[in-house]
């Protein structure tokens, strides 16, 4: 199983202080380099239409330095499609951004937008970019995803993660993920998964077959903040230590 690290929240932290500026910390480009050096198999970023975290300049700078695979998450909107075709990530993952595109489970409504998604899938593939569709573990969505000709689906693990503490719901969500992964595999789709995965729920996900890649963001960035905090405080104390008044 491969790991794609979603570094959007590195940009979220930077934007909290430096929104509208051309610089700031933490730097998503360095974050991507650190993740790759640590063994990540890919870097995932989401260029949102509202640019709430990643900015266009980040996407280009990250494209330049990524040595593994760049996975660009994006809405199927004309502006972002044009950007993706220029940036040429190895793969795009089409995700819902606007409310009308969101099913109750939170994935893409592929069944309701099949034609538009198939068209974008073709444009991306023609440009040498693979396509993944972020969908809830729902049989009709898996079938529709296969009809679009996409190479991958990314199973939305949000509900599995959200209700992980509740044994009954967890079992039901896990069963849905297992069934949909099998169905997708049978239909010739390759299977990724993501959203809400963390250090506690990850081992249970091993029971889902055919998983190629997990995209994990928030829990890794959160863990980095806590595990890195002691070193950051010590470094600052070191700079203050020489004060002579
Ligand atoms: N996969 C997709 C399609 C996503 O939209 C996100 C969230 O941006 C993730 C994976 C990562 O989710 P998390 O940050 O909860 O690990």
């Amino acid at each position: 199983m491969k790991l794609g690290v979603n570094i959007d929240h590195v940009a979220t932290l930077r934007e909290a202080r430096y929104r509208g500026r051309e610089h700031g910390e933490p730097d998503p480009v360095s974050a991507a380099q650190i993740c790759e050096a640590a063994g990540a198999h890919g870097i995932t970023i989401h260029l949102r239409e509202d640019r709430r975290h990643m900015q266009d300049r980040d996407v280009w700078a990250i494209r330049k330095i990524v040595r593994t695979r760049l996975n660009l998450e994006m809405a199927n909107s004309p502006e972002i499609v044009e950007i993706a075709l220029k940036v040429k990530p190895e793969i795009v993952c089409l995700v819902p951004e606007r409310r009308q595109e969101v099913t109750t489970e939170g994935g893409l409504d592929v069944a309701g937008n099949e034609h538009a998604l198939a068209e974008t899938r073709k444009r991306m593939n023609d440009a040498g970019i693979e396509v993944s569709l972020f969908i809830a573990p729902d049989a009709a969505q898996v079938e529709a995803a296969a009809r679009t000709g996409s190479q991958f689906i990314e199973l939305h693990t949000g509900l599995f993660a959200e209700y992980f503490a509740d044994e009954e719901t967890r079992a039901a969500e896990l069963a849905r993920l297992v069934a949909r992964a099998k169905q997708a595999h049978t239909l010739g789709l390759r299977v990724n998964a993501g959203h809400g995965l963390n250090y506690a729920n990850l081992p249970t996900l091993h029971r889902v077959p055919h998983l190629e890649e997990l995209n994990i963001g928030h829990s890794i960035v959160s863990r980095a903040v806590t595990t890195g905090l002691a070193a950051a405080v010590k470094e600052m104390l070191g700079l203050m230590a020489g004060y002579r008044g």
Side-chain angles (χ1 to χ4, degrees), residues 1 3 157-165 170 193-206 214-223:
M1 206 153 53
L3 171 64
T157 49
L159 284 179
F160 162 76
E162 182 73 20
Y163 295 103
F164 188 72
R170 175 178 66 206
H195 201 91
L197 297 177
N198 61 30
Y199 297 83
N201 61 32
L202 199 280
T204 306
L205 205 73
H206 282 235
L214 302 181
N215 285 305
I216 307 181
H218 190 267
S219 65
I220 291 178
V221 174
S222 301
R223 180 61 62 101

Side-chain angles (χ1 to χ4, degrees), residues 6 8-9 73 93 95 134 154 194-197 215-219:
N6 181 317
D8 289 343
H9 290 304
E73 290 177 359
C93 181
V95 302
F134 184 50
E154 178 168 326
H195 201 91
L197 297 177
N215 285 305
I216 307 181
H218 190 267
S219 65

Side-chain angles (χ1 to χ4, degrees), residues 33-217:
Q33 286 171 317
I34 292 167
C35 292
E36 284 194 330
H41 303 94
I43 299 298
T44 296
I45 55 177
H46 184 174
L47 184 66
R48 293 184 59 96
E49 288 176 276
D50 63 11
R51 307 301 199 271
R52 87 167 56 142
H53 35 54
M54 286 292 169
Q55 306 300 310
D56 296 59
R57 69 176 192 278
D58 296 322
V59 175
W60 286 103
I62 290 167
R63 168 66 293 181
K64 223 181 241 177
I65 59 93
V66 162
R67 296 277 169 267
T68 53
R69 270 166 73 79
L70 179 62
N71 171 22
L72 181 66
E73 290 177 359
M74 52 178 277
N76 188 26
S77 76
E79 184 212 0
I80 307 289
V81 167
E82 293 310 318
I83 292 173
L85 288 167
K86 289 190 191 113
V87 170
K88 289 194 187 299
E90 275 69 27
I91 181 167
V92 294
C93 181
L94 298 171
V95 302
E97 267 183 41
R98 282 189 289 268
R99 272 191 85 192
Q100 64 269 29
E101 289 171 340
V102 182
T103 67
T104 46
E105 294 89 358
L108 262 183
D109 181 11
V110 185
N113 294 281
E114 211 176 299
H115 181 71
L117 290 167
E119 208 167 279
T120 299
R121 192 282 302 160
K122 186 174 182 319
R123 290 188 73 195
M124 292 295 167
N125 284 174
D126 288 348
I129 302 167
E130 290 188 303
V131 174
S132 178
L133 302 179
F134 184 50
I135 57 170
D138 176 279
Q141 299 297 345
V142 175
E143 273 170 31
R147 286 196 298 270
T148 65
S150 298
Q151 287 70 50
F152 288 85
I153 55 165
E154 178 168 326
L155 288 173
H156 194 318
T157 49
L159 284 179
F160 162 76
E162 182 73 20
Y163 295 103
F164 188 72
D166 180 299
E167 218 170 291
E168 216 171 285
T169 318
R170 175 178 66 206
E173 284 306 314
L174 188 64
R176 281 195 339 140
L177 290 167
V178 169
R180 300 297 67 91
K182 285 180 181 168
Q183 178 194 2
H185 182 72
T186 306
L187 291 170
L189 286 161
R190 296 163 73 182
V191 185
N192 297 334
H195 201 91
L197 297 177
N198 61 30
Y199 297 83
N201 61 32
L202 199 280
T204 306
L205 205 73
H206 282 235
R207 293 186 215 154
V208 180
H210 309 301
L211 292 178
E212 275 195 40
E213 181 169 296
L214 302 181
N215 285 305
I216 307 181

